[in-house]
Amino acid sequence: NPFNSSTNIAINSPLLKEEKKLSLIVYDLLGNEVNRIDNISTSLIILDRGQLSQGMYFYKLMNNNEILATGKLMVE
């Protein structure tokens, strides 16, 4: 992590085996949602930079309203 064009996020959750649909939500430093991937059903997410400008971002992996994991991302 830092990344320029894309990064991989690996998910190790038993919820994937239970066919639960997970969401990855990316926030900027002010807490604004800047990217969202819903209905995740695979253990590897490729997050493209898209319109994200250079800087630090935070992400949450969610199942409905339950936070399963959090982390930071740096975009160069």
Side-chain angles (χ1 to χ4, degrees):
N1 193 355
F3 69 99
N4 285 320
S5 60
S6 68
T7 189
N8 296 331
I9 300 174
I11 300 172
N12 184 11
S13 173
L15 294 175
L16 286 173
K17 295 176 184 169
E18 297 172 16
E19 297 185 18
K20 302 276 185 178
K21 299 299 182 191
L22 306 179
S23 297
L24 180 77
I25 307 164
V26 180
Y27 299 92
D28 64 14
L29 289 174
L30 299 175
N32 300 310
E33 184 178 315
V34 295
N35 197 346
R36 181 184 196 102
I37 302 171
D38 290 316
N39 299 319
I40 297 167
S41 59
T42 180
S43 63
L44 183 65
I45 301 169
I46 300 172
L47 180 64
D48 290 322
R49 177 178 183 165
Q51 299 299 316
L52 298 178
S53 59
Q54 184 178 13
M56 184 183 301
Y57 296 87
F58 300 94
Y59 68 85
K60 290 193 283 191
L61 181 66
M62 310 260 320
N63 177 31
N64 294 321
N65 292 326
E66 180 184 2
I67 299 172
L68 303 175
T70 61
K72 293 184 218 176
L73 299 167
M74 283 295 296
V75 176
E76 289 187 329

